[in-house]
Amino acid sequence: AAVSTLLLTTKPTAKMMKNRSKMSTKRKFVADGVFYAELNELLTRELAEDGYAGVEVRTTPHRTEIIIRATKTQNVLGEKGQRIRELTSVVQKRFEFAEGAVELYAERVQNRGLCAQAQAESLKFKLLAGLAVRRACYGVVRFVMEASAKGCEVIVSGKLRGQRAKAMKFGDGYMIKTGHAGQVYTDVAVRHVAMRQGMIGIKVSIMLPHDPKGINGPKIPLDDVVTILEPKEEPSPESILQAQQAAEAAAAAAAQAAALQQQMLAQQQAAAAAPVEPAMQAGF
C-alpha cells in the first residue's frame, strides 16, 4: 500500500533529482533533503517489521548508492534478493533514475541495543501485541543499558489507560540533551502507534558510549571528561648527582683515550717520515 501511494503522488522530487547537476547549490541541498525524507518514509513503512534502522545515501558521478541499515538483513533482501530488487525498481521509477543508476544494499546493525530506531520499532510492536506499557518500556530500557549504553530514556504519551491522555517517562543512566555533545552522543527515534483507543507517541533516546574506534559510539571524547594520569617518579638529588659524576668521569676517560690515540698516531707518522741511513741500506 505504501509503495502504491508513493507512486501515485506528484513527482516534483523526481524532476529535482533528474536536473540535479544543473541546480544551484541551495536547490541541490533542498533536493537531497526532500529525497532523503521521502525515501526514509517509504522504507520506514515498508521495512518496519524487519528492524529498519535508517538509510544512508551516497551519490557518485556514475550512480546513487542507497545503504539500508536493519537488524534483519535477510528479510530485507528477500528470497534470492527479490525484495531488494523490487525496492530498487520502485525507487528508480519514482525518482526517474536511469537504468542501473541506483543501487540498494542492506547492512546489518552491529549492536541493535545502541540503535534508537530499532528499539522504537521493537517497542511499537510490543505495544501492538498487547503488552503492558510499563513492562514493555522497562524491558527496552534494560536491554539498552545491557548493551553498554551510558543512558536511556523512553517517553510514551497518549491514551495509555482510560480516556485521559497522559505521558509516562522511563529512564536510566546518564543523558545529555543540549549542546554539541547532545547532538553527537544522543541517538533519538520517534514512532507513532495506532492503538485501538487512539494514537500513541513513542520517543526513545539513547546516550551512546565513547568509543576510540568509532564503532559503538562517537570517537570525540566528552568535553567535561578529565583523565588524570599517574605522576612519574621523581629521582632523588643524590641519584642525579651520582649520574652527573659518572657522566663527567666517562667524558674525561673518553677525552684521555682520544688524546692518547692522537699521540700514538703522531708518533707513527713521524717514524714513517724519518730518512733511512745509507749504511743500513748497504747492509753494513
Side-chain angles (χ1 to χ4, degrees), residues 111-129:
N111 191 347
R112 64 191 181 98
L114 297 176
C115 179
Q117 292 198 48
Q119 292 309 310
E121 288 290 350
S122 166
L123 181 56
K124 176 182 171 181
F125 284 105
K126 281 179 182 177
L127 293 176
L128 286 170

Side-chain angles (χ1 to χ4, degrees), residues 21-38:
S21 56
K22 302 170 189 174
M23 283 182 196
S24 66
T25 310
K26 192 166 101 172
R27 285 179 178 274
K28 199 174 284 185
F29 273 96
V30 172
D32 288 348
V34 172
F35 171 67
Y36 177 84
E38 200 166 326

Side-chain angles (χ1 to χ4, degrees), residues 80-135:
K80 296 179 182 177
Q82 183 183 350
R83 196 174 187 193
I84 198 95
R85 285 198 299 273
E86 286 174 4
L87 287 168
T88 307
S89 173
V90 166
V91 171
Q92 184 185 321
K93 287 173 184 172
R94 170 68 184 85
F95 299 106
E96 295 183 3
F97 281 105
E99 192 73 33
V102 63
E103 283 195 27
L104 269 69
Y105 301 98
E107 183 185 12
R108 186 185 294 276
V109 176
Q110 296 297 326
N111 191 347
R112 64 191 181 98
L114 297 176
C115 179
Q117 292 198 48
Q119 292 309 310
E121 288 290 350
S122 166
L123 181 56
K124 176 182 171 181
F125 284 105
K126 281 179 182 177
L127 293 176
L128 286 170
L131 196 66
V133 175
R134 277 180 193 277
R135 192 171 177 187

Side-chain angles (χ1 to χ4, degrees), residues 205-266:
S205 305
I206 298 172
M207 177 81 178
L208 301 170
H210 170 61
D211 185 6
K213 294 181 181 177
I215 298 167
N216 289 327
K219 287 183 181 180
I220 310 163
L222 285 167
D223 300 326
D224 58 347
V225 173
V226 179
T227 308
I228 298 171
L229 302 173
E230 286 292 325
K232 293 180 181 177
E233 287 186 10
E234 290 188 10
S236 62
E238 291 83 6
S239 61
I240 293 172
L241 193 61
Q242 286 175 4
Q244 284 178 350
Q245 288 173 353
E248 286 172 6
Q256 192 177 356
L260 190 64
Q261 192 175 2
Q262 199 170 1
Q263 191 179 354
M264 288 175 66
L265 190 64

